[in-house]
Every structure is written in structure tokens, then in C-alpha cells.
Amino acid sequence: MEILRNLWRRKLRTTLTVSGIVMGIFALTTMGSLAEHFNVLLGGGITYYGGSIQVTDDKSNGGFGAGAMSLDTLQKIQQVDGVLAAGPAVGTSAKPGSVSTVSFGVPDYIMNFDATTTAHSPFKISVASGAFPNDASRFQVTLGSTLASEFRKHVGDTIMLPVRPKDATSDFINHRFTVIGVLDQTLTAPDNGAYVSLHDAQMLLGESLPAALRGTVNPYQLITSVVAYGRPGVNLDALATRITAVVPGVKATKPSDLVSSFKSGGAIFTFMTTAAALLALIIGGLSVVNTMIMSVTERTREIGLKKAIGAKTRNILSEFVAESTAMGLIGGLIGFLLGMLMTFLLNNGDPSGGLFLITPRLTLIALVFAVALGAGAGVIPAMRAARMDPVTALRAQ
Amino acid sequence: MATIKTLGLSKTYGTGESMVKALDGVDLTIEQGEFLAIVGRSGSGKTTMLDCMGLLMRPSSGAVIVDGTDASTLNDGQRAELRSKRIGFIFQEFNLLPTMSAMENILLPLRYSGGDRKAARIRAEGFLEEVGLAKRANHRPTQMSGGEQQRVAIARSLINEPTLVLGDEPMGEVDTDTANALLEFMRRINAERRVSFVIVTHDLDLAARTDRVIRLRDGHVISDERPSRQLVQRPAAAAAA
Ligand SMILES: Nc1ncnc2c1ncn2[C@@H]1O[C@H](COP(=O)(O)OP(=O)(O)OP(=O)(O)O)[C@@H](O)[C@H]1O
Ligand SMILES: [Mg+2]
């Protein structure tokens, strides 16, 4: 291959140029895989929250384990016109007191599994092995894939929940649960969930309250929120407004508000990836342009010779563009593989399954981008070469 | 039919004060199979003449007719095409590509002419055999002497079976013995294949061993002679001229 030989002749320069592209594509790959991870994460959120209505106590500000609601509120919500089904949601933290470090992900949680309402959710979860808990289950848990692999649990094993924090106070309580199922990986929230029966979830919620409060409330009357699903054709935003208006003491969040907050979260990562791509474009692009200009200048006589023996403008153009494209491809492959290695190593060291996700789409974008970068940056120097006058080129020193 | 013909060929470089008339109305007809030398002092217009005949440069006025085609009517792409099919070039500095082997260098013109590679390879092997470089086909130019490189370059100029080979001082960088050997090779090709050769040279001894010597001065042809060797061999023809 003449192209590779020409590149190989100028090892140092080619290496530097390719390194520029490698850095750029490396940045693009790592940033992109972060973005891809959050796209999936947020995509799950968008599907789940876009297709259901979250109803909380109107004094709470939403989220898990916020203000508690009573069970009869659930019945009132079920009776609102347009509601197909509504189920209780009771959640507590699976690792109380653990400071979630730089984890952008979803905190580990324990949640009741409500078969009737889950059936209405557009976001589907399924078990890889075992089964889901039912209403009669006691001390049985189905683990999300990340939790299962973090604690190396399989169906039939037992796990203490919630996980005892290092600085547990004397009133900390947990229980031995039998793992009855492990979920398929979703790459989003359910991976970090532990699903138990409503009864067990309420028990754990009650036990998570400060000791002083524990005696004063009956945990089996408490739920943290209600998830409502609309009848087919019902506008969920309008239904949310109606629930808030009709049922006293509750606030139903419009699905579209949640979806747009998820989307704006995703925008940050899109921005970061774009910035990395821009970095690649500038560093890689400029070094390719520089190298190719030098190469064209050095090989002026070669260009003259080729023209003399019959090369047309487009022949010379494509020869030089092929060289810069090859640099783009080589740099792109190396950068992508290094990025992949890096994300693999970082993911591996992370018990929660890692922050990076390399998708086929990202692979394609990174490699196409690298090749286009090489080709694009090579065009201007190549044009210079192709337009050279053969006589002048042949006489050059 | 004439291999190449120039009609009132003129070339001026620059404008105004710095204007140089490198060629001034040159009419020249070179028949198929002729072996011809162009001589003249430095600056007399030899290179300019060759560049115009090789379609590397457009004259300021006048015409170059290659195998009956007036090259001034062609665009750059068509001229490149005509060049790749009909004209071979040999240069003083050989101009072999350093990244390629001898064989690859010889076959390079095929890339642009799109000829039959297999047949060309056989021809190339024949040329290498003929000049005693059969074992050097895979050597790079840096592994060869000047004379060897020039033999490779001559083979390259012939690979597309041109009707005309142009050489601008092709023996300028080699010693006398090597120059003689190169001339020998070119003469043999010329005799066997009826390819016309036009060689620019400073060496009058070499020029004297061609069929016809054109002398340029200030862009004019000042003489057009058949050297004495021909006189000896063909006294009748010389007497007639
Ligand atoms: N690109 C150019 N610009 C201006 N003048 C030029 C150019 N090329 C050649 N000339 C001039 O044209 C004239 C003819 O030049 P040319 O190169 O054809 O001479 P030559 O016979 O080949 O000389 P030499 O034996 O030194 O190679 C010279 O006076 C030269 O200075
Ligand atoms: Mg000259």
C-alpha cells in the first residue's frame, strides 16, 4: 500500500498527527459513552414518567421517601374520571446513609412491586431468573441486575436489607430477605432497585423513620406516593391537573414536566459530547492540515512527475485525500479502542455497574467522524497539490 | 504520419521589462521512429521546447500536433490522457518514487492510463531483463546506482508503449560509460519498436550518435542536421541532404 508507505516514511510526523486524532476520538468516545449511558438512563425515565402520573402529598416536594400519604387517598385517586388504574408506591433507600459519591446514577432503593399497575406502564421490566414478589410475599426480594451483581446474589441466596451503613445508629434495623428473582438489565433505574411486597416495603419505611416517630404512625397505612395510569386516549397532563384539583391534599405532577426535566438533564451530556467532538475537530483537524501541507510541499516533484506521466487533477487529489483519510481512520480506531479500554476499566472498578456505555451508534459516530475529519482536513492541502503546474512542480528542489 | 509536429511554436515568460522569449516560432516535424537530439547553449530554450512538446506547458502561440491531434484544442484532462498514452518522459534526476520498488516505479503510469496490468508486468519484466536488472525488480531506488535508476526510469517511460519519448538531459547525471550504455538501450528500443526519441543533451559526442541534431539559439532553430556517422553509413543520403 503506497498510502501506508508514504505515512510510514514520515513516522514521527505521522505519529504526532495520528496522536492528535487519537486524543480527540478518545475524548469523543469517553464523553460519548457517558452521554450514551445517560441517554439510556434518561430514556427509561422518559418512558416511565411520561406514561404515568406521579401523585404525592401536596406538602412534599416529590421523590422517594418524601412526605407520606394515607391509603384512603389512593382510593380517591382511583375514582377520578379518566384514571385507569392507580397503585401505591412505597420506597426507601437500600443503602441508607451512604453518601453517593460522584455517581450520576440512580441511588439504590427498595420499592414495593405492584403487579396490577406495573402492567399498565409503558416501561417494561422483566425477570432474568426467578419471579417477582406478590402481595403475600414476606421477606422475599427481586433484585435489579446491578444490585444482584454488586452483592453477587442469585436466586435462593439471602441478603440483609437495607444494607447496614458503616456508621449505623443503635436503632438501625434490617432483615434477612431471600432472593426470589433477578431482573433483566435495563441500564436505567430498575437495575438499582430491590423489589419487595407492599407489606414489606411499608414495614421498612416505618423502620426508617426516626425512632421517636415510629410509635406514632401505623406504617401499614402509609404510602410514599401513588402512581396513576390514564385510560387510553386521556391526556395525562390534563388528568394530572384534574387529580390535583379533585383530590384534597395531593399534588399530581404533569408527565410532560418530568419528561422535559429529564431532557434538559440529557442536554448537558449532549453538550459535553459535542465539546469533545469539537476538541477532536480542532486538534486532529489542524494537525492533519499541517502534516498534509508539509507532505505536499515535500513531494512537489513527485506531484510533477505523476502529472507528467498522465495523472489528472482528480488522481492527485484523491491520492492525498486517501492519505489523510487513512490517518483519520488509524487515529480513530486507536482513539476509539483506547476509549473503550478506558471505559471498560472504569466500569469494571465501579460496583454499581459503571457510568460508561459504548453503543453501536457511538462506535459508528466516532469512526465516521474520524474518517470524515481526516478526509475533510486533507482536502485543502490536496487541492493545492492537485492544482500544481506540472512544469513548476518538476523543477522544484 | 509525423509523431509530433510544431507550428510557429512560441513561448514567452513574464511580461514587460522581465519578458523572455524562450521560443520564437519553431517549426519542427519529427517522423515516427526518429532518434533526435536537441542541443544549444544554456538558456537557448531546449527545456521549454520539450515541455511544450510533452504537453506539460501551453505555448504562448503556435501549435503542437501529436499523432495528428492539435493539442491546443484539448483541455488539461485530455492533454493528461494523451500524455499518458502517447508520450514517455525521462528526466535528468530520474524522478523515481523512493517508496516504491523498481517494478512498482515502472508500473506507476498504469495507475493513470488504466492499461492492462498483466501485460504491462510482462513488458516490465522484459525491460528489466534487457537492461540487466531482472534481479533488482524489488529494490528501492536508494539501493541502485544512478545508471540503474535511469534504466528503470527509461523502462517506466516505455511501459505504456508511447510513440514518443522525451528526455531532458537524461545522461546529465551519469558518467560517460553509463551514458553510452543508456544511449545504447534507447537506440535498441528505438530500432525495435519504432518509438521516436527526442533527447536534450549538452554532450555533443552523444548528440553525434543520434540520427538528427537540432540546434537552438535564443528560441530559434539554427541548424537541423544528420550527423556524420550517418554520412559514413549512408553517403548517398548525406550527399542528397
Ligand atoms: N519559468 C520561467 N520564468 C521566466 N523565465 C524562464 C522560465 N523558464 C525558463 N525561462 C527562461 O527562458 C529561457 C529558456 O529557458 P530553458 O529552460 O528552456 O533553457 P534551456 O535551453 O533548457 O537551458 P539549460 O541548458 O540551462 O537547461 C531562459 O532564458 C530562461 O531564463
Ligand atoms: Mg534545460
Side-chain angles (χ1 to χ4, degrees):
Chain A
M1 283 289 282
E2 191 199 352
I3 296 171
L4 296 182
R5 269 189 250 158
N6 277 326
L7 294 176
W8 188 241
R9 266 186 88 198
R10 285 161 277 264
K11 292 181 199 70
L12 180 64
R13 194 191 308 158
T14 302
T15 308
L16 288 176
T17 311
V18 168
S19 309
I21 300 171
V22 166
M23 278 198 306
I25 299 301
F26 175 76
L28 179 65
T29 305
T30 45
M31 284 298 139
S33 65
L34 206 56
E36 288 294 77
H37 177 220
F38 285 97
N39 278 335
V40 176
L41 201 66
L42 299 176
I46 288 168
T47 311
Y48 177 73
Y49 288 110
S52 63
I53 300 169
Q54 306 295 312
V55 189
T56 52
D57 184 86
D58 66 353
K59 286 176 287 295
S60 83
N61 51 5
F64 297 128
M69 300 164 76
S70 70
L71 263 175
D72 44 299
T73 310
L74 172 62
Q75 279 155 22
K76 287 184 191 138
I77 293 167
Q78 279 166 337
Q79 282 152 16
V80 174
D81 187 30
V83 172
L84 173 65
V90 178
T92 56
S93 172
K95 290 179 184 170
S98 78
V99 184
S100 71
T101 43
V102 201
S103 167
F104 294 96
V106 179
D108 300 322
Y109 62 89
I110 302 170
M111 187 86 196
N112 69 304
F113 178 76
D114 189 56
T116 32
T117 49
T118 302
H120 299 298
S121 174
F123 187 85
K124 300 300 176 200
I125 54 173
S126 51
V127 283
S129 61
F132 283 110
N134 57 39
D135 289 345
S137 301
R138 293 293 178 268
F139 301 109
Q140 293 184 329
V141 65
T142 297
L143 294 176
S145 62
T146 303
L147 277 181
S149 61
E150 181 181 350
F151 293 101
R152 299 201 180 79
K153 296 297 183 192
H154 303 280
V155 172
D157 294 344
T158 60
I159 182 171
M160 297 300 287
L161 286 175
V163 177
R164 177 180 290 274
K166 283 203 184 75
D167 56 351
T169 50
S170 59
D171 56 2
F172 177 82
I173 307 169
N174 63 2
H175 304 272
R176 184 174 299 279
F177 279 76
T178 303
V179 179
I180 59 163
V182 174
L183 295 185
D184 283 315
Q185 192 177 34
T186 61
L187 296 172
T188 177
D191 290 356
N192 299 66
Y195 292 87
V196 298
S197 66
L198 178 62
H199 179 275
D200 287 353
Q202 285 172 323
M203 172 190 72
L204 295 174
L205 176 64
E207 289 167 358
S208 75
L209 296 173
L213 273 176
R214 280 181 202 164
T216 66
V217 290
N218 173 6
Y220 301 103
Q221 286 302 313
L222 286 184
I223 53 180
T224 37
S225 62
V226 169
V227 183
Y229 295 92
R231 293 185 187 284
V234 171
N235 179 307
L236 295 184
D237 280 358
L239 184 56
T241 311
R242 190 150 63 239
I243 292 171
T244 308
V246 171
V247 182
V250 303
K251 189 180 77 186
T253 311
K254 289 183 190 169
S256 65
D257 287 351
L258 283 171
V259 166
S260 58
S261 79
F262 273 110
K263 284 189 174 154
S264 66
I268 289 176
F269 291 101
T270 307
F271 171 77
M272 279 163 72
T273 311
T274 314
L278 225 61
L279 187 78
L281 193 71
I282 294 168
I283 303 180
L286 286 182
S287 58
V288 170
V289 168
N290 180 54
T291 298
M292 291 310 292
I293 286 178
M294 283 170 81
S295 177
V296 167
T297 311
E298 280 173 2
R299 283 151 68 193
T300 302
R301 284 180 73 122
E302 173 183 328
I303 295 161
L305 167 82
K306 284 178 168 171
K307 288 204 145 188
I309 64 174
K312 296 185 180 126
T313 306
R314 65 177 153 82
N315 297 129
I316 305 290
L317 186 73
S318 58
E319 284 178 26
F320 278 95
V321 170
E323 245 171 67
S324 65
T325 306
M327 285 197 284
L329 181 64
I330 296 169
L333 278 174
I334 298 175
F336 178 74
L337 289 176
L338 284 181
M340 224 166 105
L341 186 71
M342 171 92 162
T343 58
F344 176 77
L345 292 177
L346 287 177
N347 278 352
N348 237 13
D350 185 342
S352 67
L355 295 175
F356 305 93
L357 176 68
I358 299 218
T359 57
R361 180 175 72 162
L362 178 64
T363 310
L364 195 73
I365 289 175
L367 295 182
V368 168
F369 185 79
V371 168
L373 178 70
V379 164
I380 292 169
M383 286 286 265
R384 230 178 71 165
R387 290 211 180 119
M388 268 182 199
D389 169 51
V391 171
T392 321
L394 271 168
R395 288 195 188 149
Q397 283 316 303
Chain B
M1 189 180 22
T3 296
I4 194 161
K5 201 166 161 176
T6 69
L7 294 171
L9 193 65
S10 298
K11 177 75 189 180
T12 44
Y13 293 109
T15 50
E17 287 279 289
S18 62
M19 190 167 88
V20 179
K21 217 164 181 136
L23 288 179
D24 192 4
V26 175
D27 297 307
L28 188 66
T29 301
I30 298 166
E31 298 297 339
Q32 196 190 338
E34 272 196 289
F35 201 110
L36 181 148
I38 297 180
V39 297
R41 251 180 279 162
S42 184
S44 57
K46 306 182 294 294
T47 297
T48 306
M49 175 87 191
L50 224 57
D51 287 345
C52 287
M53 291 203 296
L55 312 184
L56 293 174
M57 179 190 274
R58 286 183 189 268
S60 307
S61 65
V64 177
I65 293 150
V66 181
D67 285 336
T69 308
D70 182 352
S72 62
T73 63
L74 305 177
N75 65 31
D76 287 352
Q78 291 166 322
R79 285 160 68 95
E81 185 109 27
L82 192 59
R83 212 156 50 221
S84 81
K85 299 230 157 75
R86 300 292 172 82
I87 305 173
F89 290 89
I90 316 170
F91 306 89
Q92 182 170 352
E93 311 83 355
F94 325 131
N95 280 333
L96 298 179
L97 299 193
T99 52
M100 293 185 172
S101 68
M103 179 55 90
E104 289 169 319
N105 265 292
I106 295 175
L107 293 176
L108 183 64
L110 268 291
R111 186 191 289 180
Y112 308 114
S113 63
D116 177 353
R117 286 198 82 83
K118 231 183 203 152
R121 214 182 166 82
I122 293 166
R123 283 201 298 279
E125 278 161 3
F127 290 135
L128 284 171
E129 186 84 37
E130 207 170 328
V131 295
L133 291 176
K135 295 213 175 80
R136 314 293 296 274
N138 293 320
H139 286 203
R140 297 281 174 89
T142 47
Q143 300 166 298
M144 290 188 271
S145 72
E148 287 165 345
Q149 288 185 56
Q150 194 63 304
R151 278 179 265 172
V152 171
I154 294 171
R156 178 182 63 193
S157 76
L158 295 166
I159 196 67
N160 276 335
E161 305 185 299
T163 53
L164 173 68
V165 172
L166 302 173
D168 195 350
E169 308 204 25
M171 275 82 95
E173 299 239 316
V174 297
D175 60 54
T176 316
D177 286 349
T178 309
N180 285 332
L182 291 175
L183 184 69
E184 203 56 45
F185 175 45
M186 289 189 267
R187 295 247 40 166
R188 199 159 60 231
I189 296 287
N190 166 251
E192 284 165 8
R193 299 168 193 249
R194 310 271 306 140
V195 184
S196 308
F197 278 80
V198 177
I199 303 297
V200 166
T201 181
H202 273 116
D203 185 335
L204 295 181
D205 285 343
L206 282 178
R209 289 158 57 199
T210 64
D211 299 338
R212 182 179 169 194
V213 179
I214 306 282
R215 186 173 296 274
L216 288 183
R217 183 189 291 162
D218 300 334
H220 296 278
V221 175
I222 55 161
S223 73
D224 181 350
E225 316 179 311
R226 315 265 158 186
S228 52
R229 193 175 70 132
Q230 304 297 319
L231 259 176
V232 176
Q233 285 173 350
R234 284 187 285 160

